[in-house]
Amino acid sequence: MPNYFSDNTDILYHFEKLNLKDIVNIAEDEYKQAEQFDDAPVNYEDAMENYRKVMEIVGDITGNYIAPRAAKIDEEGAVFENGKVTYAKGTQEALEMLSKAELMGMILPRRFGGLNFPTTIYMMAVELISRAEASLMNIFGLQDIAKTIDKFATEEQREFYLPGFSSGLYTGAMALTEPDAGSDLQAVKLTAYQDENGNWFLRGVKRFITNGNGDVLLVLARTEAGTKDARGLSMLSCMKDDSIIVRRIEHKLGIHGSPTCELQFNDTPAELIGTRRFGLLKYVIYLMNRARVGIGAQSLGISQQAYEEALKYAKAREQFGKPIYNFPVVANMLIDMRVTLESNRTLFYNTCTWLDRKEAYEDLIEKRKSEKLPFNDVNEKFKEAQRMTNFLTPTTKYILSEASNKMTYDSIQIHGGTGYMREFAVERLARDARITNIYEGTSQLQIVAAAGSVINDVLADYINDWEKKEYKGSLKKLKESLMEIRVLFNDALKYVKEKKDTGFQDVAAKDLVELYSYIYTGYLLLDEANDDQRRVFTAKRFILDSLARSRKNAESIKNELYSDILHADTILI
């Protein structure tokens, strides 16, 4: 019987090498929670053992219960009838199973029925869920809505909403986008107004809302009359009721089990979350950082299953008297897929750890402030984690979602004509993957989000330290390749800065971000290879391939490839 956690050697490798000591120590109040809750760990080793046991449960449920239902969920999809949205039967069964296993509040505090796990462990669970059935992640992964309420709401609001999330009674939705406000959220028009008693109500339309039929909605709304920018937007919460009309659900290419709704709010009772005017400037940014890693996990899960399907088929399919696995061109494709999986997973869990650090240090600062204790030392750690998170979350979302599309494409190619048929899982995986580089910010917007960090060379100190480090044997040559990529990056960056052309900088940003990501991921892999011989193969192929790609990236910037953009109106006829 498959277990998507314990059967996956790469996930196990990353689980074993996680360093979450500071994060867990802060989350567990220096393990004082063990005095109040029987399931709280007494030390770090106990915490990691708890995480392992839960991940084994997730691995069992995903491999043996959810995955067998995936094809039927895709075929049946969510149904909209008589104004009501109904999940596919398999989705309902999966959510019920996850609720019984007490997994719907993984990142919520114990006092509200949650498990109080770090985001990194939660994201491992999201990866496994996504591998089993990608659209289910869009419901299971909305625990971030509850996390946002926990972070910014009042204690009374937490007590009202969070136990329902933890038990599985509630699912949620982020109601952000509108017909004329997709990526440009500062254009949101849905209004929130108060009556004479100070009660809030919502009026307007939201579109493309994942799980818009959820029980608890976080709504970005314009609370300040007459404003047209981000400063007039606030975050409000509301419960599903008759004043919220689901006008339609979208008929999508993929992720059929996840309903995408158009919602009409008709004077819907709501509550303000946090402070007015900070809806987009603070709360949505918090949500989006978490959403980016969520889509990264989804992309990784889809990629894993695409690889598994391709490998299985290549070993079983015979042509010219032997399995196609034995043809070098096919074996090379499979190795590329495997290296992409492992390098992306290395980048991903590094990103998750930085996000956990950022949030843990932020919580510790707030605690010390409330206790009137010094916090300068923690503040420096927080600033570092924030800088890293600002670069890594958009970069990781970009790289992993694009890779997911490429890996499902290659998996179909290895299957040949059969992969194009509904009977084979890769057809569904390719459709599910296609949304990953679109929602929660397109790849182009992720580049924009990461570009500032890249242009300011925020990783310079880390890279300098890596360049001073001694590596074993053949790894020295790989280090030289990474140093060469850095030279190419620095030359390209200098060229872009000296042009002093913001339009050119915007177009060159994609190549700069990719160059920077090669260096960072390459050194992460080099460190792994220095400690584990098995990782040398992944590091070597990734770094040498990145060197070849980096030359193209640099040339694209410096040979005026993009100069024809000035003549777009002439070319685009």
Side-chain angles (χ1 to χ4, degrees), residues 20-68:
L20 304 174
K21 286 186 178 179
D22 278 1
I23 296 160
V24 177
N25 187 56
I26 294 168
E28 296 296 336
D29 301 324
E30 298 179 345
Y31 302 100
K32 292 175 185 174
Q33 289 201 26
E35 300 169 6
Q36 185 178 357
F37 300 100
D38 291 339
D39 62 337
V42 297
N43 54 42
Y44 181 67
E45 291 71 24
D46 190 25
M48 290 303 295
E49 185 58 29
N50 287 350
Y51 302 156
R52 179 189 293 276
K53 289 176 180 176
V54 170
M55 287 307 302
E56 287 172 351
I57 293 170
V58 177
D60 179 41
I61 292 173
T62 50
N64 296 299
Y65 193 83
I66 297 174

Side-chain angles (χ1 to χ4, degrees), residues 12 69 149 166 259 267 306 368 388 421 433 439 445 501 570:
L12 288 176
R69 288 165 167 75
I149 292 172
S166 295
D267 303 312
R368 288 193 178 180
M388 294 300 291
M421 305 302 162
Y439 62 5
L445 285 176
D501 182 336
T570 302

Side-chain angles (χ1 to χ4, degrees), residues 9-239:
T9 56
D10 196 44
I11 287 182
L12 288 176
Y13 169 81
H14 284 285
F15 182 87
E16 295 293 346
K17 70 187 286 287
L18 286 174
N19 182 2
L20 304 174
K21 286 186 178 179
D22 278 1
I23 296 160
V24 177
N25 187 56
I26 294 168
E28 296 296 336
D29 301 324
E30 298 179 345
Y31 302 100
K32 292 175 185 174
Q33 289 201 26
E35 300 169 6
Q36 185 178 357
F37 300 100
D38 291 339
D39 62 337
V42 297
N43 54 42
Y44 181 67
E45 291 71 24
D46 190 25
M48 290 303 295
E49 185 58 29
N50 287 350
Y51 302 156
R52 179 189 293 276
K53 289 176 180 176
V54 170
M55 287 307 302
E56 287 172 351
I57 293 170
V58 177
D60 179 41
I61 292 173
T62 50
N64 296 299
Y65 193 83
I66 297 174
R69 288 165 167 75
K72 193 66 177 175
I73 290 172
D74 177 63
E75 180 184 339
E76 183 180 336
V79 176
F80 180 59
E81 195 171 45
N82 298 323
K84 183 181 178 183
V85 178
T86 304
Y87 295 133
K89 181 183 177 185
T91 303
Q92 295 177 43
E93 292 171 342
L95 289 172
E96 184 178 347
M97 176 63 78
L98 292 167
S99 297
K100 285 180 179 178
E102 299 181 349
L103 295 169
M104 297 302 287
M106 289 186 72
I107 48 177
L108 298 182
R110 289 189 184 87
R111 70 181 190 276
F112 300 120
L115 298 181
N116 201 42
F117 278 16
T119 293
T120 302
I121 303 298
Y122 168 55
M123 283 299 129
M124 277 193 176
V126 172
E127 181 190 341
L128 302 191
I129 294 281
S130 303
R131 177 186 170 187
E133 208 288 286
S135 70
L136 184 61
M137 172 271 173
N138 288 2
I139 305 171
F140 178 81
L142 288 171
Q143 293 183 38
D144 285 335
I145 291 166
K147 183 70 174 177
T148 304
I149 292 172
D150 180 47
K151 176 78 173 173
F152 299 111
T154 65
E155 186 65 12
E156 183 180 359
Q157 289 170 326
R158 294 186 191 105
E159 290 173 355
F160 179 79
Y161 291 113
L162 300 189
F165 275 102
S166 295
S167 68
L169 178 65
Y170 297 158
T171 64
M174 294 184 290
L176 307 180
T177 54
E178 299 178 6
D180 296 318
S183 299
D184 183 16
L185 286 176
Q186 66 178 353
V188 158
K189 294 178 181 177
L190 182 141
T191 58
Y193 65 92
Q194 289 178 288
D195 65 12
E196 63 276 8
N197 297 316
N199 299 309
W200 286 99
F201 297 88
L202 302 171
R203 183 184 296 161
V205 175
K206 292 289 183 180
R207 191 181 183 199
F208 292 154
I209 307 305
T210 298
N211 200 49
N213 57 301
D215 304 284
V216 179
L217 283 71
L218 282 185
V219 185
L220 184 64
R222 191 162 296 282
T223 53
E224 314 308 314
T227 62
K228 294 184 178 180
D229 60 10
R231 290 170 293 183
L233 299 173
S234 303
M235 184 69 75
L236 295 97
S237 64
C238 65
M239 295 294 296

Side-chain angles (χ1 to χ4, degrees), residues 30 62 69 72 81 83 100 126 203 287 319 330 352 400 407 414 423 451 453 459 487 495 504 539 552 560 564:
E30 298 179 345
T62 50
R69 288 165 167 75
K72 193 66 177 175
E81 195 171 45
K100 285 180 179 178
V126 172
R203 183 184 296 161
L287 262 173
Q319 290 287 277
V330 175
C352 290
L400 269 64
M407 286 188 67
I414 288 171
E423 290 80 3
S453 298
L459 301 178
V487 170
Y495 183 85
F504 180 81
K552 178 182 180 298
E560 299 292 334
D564 55 8

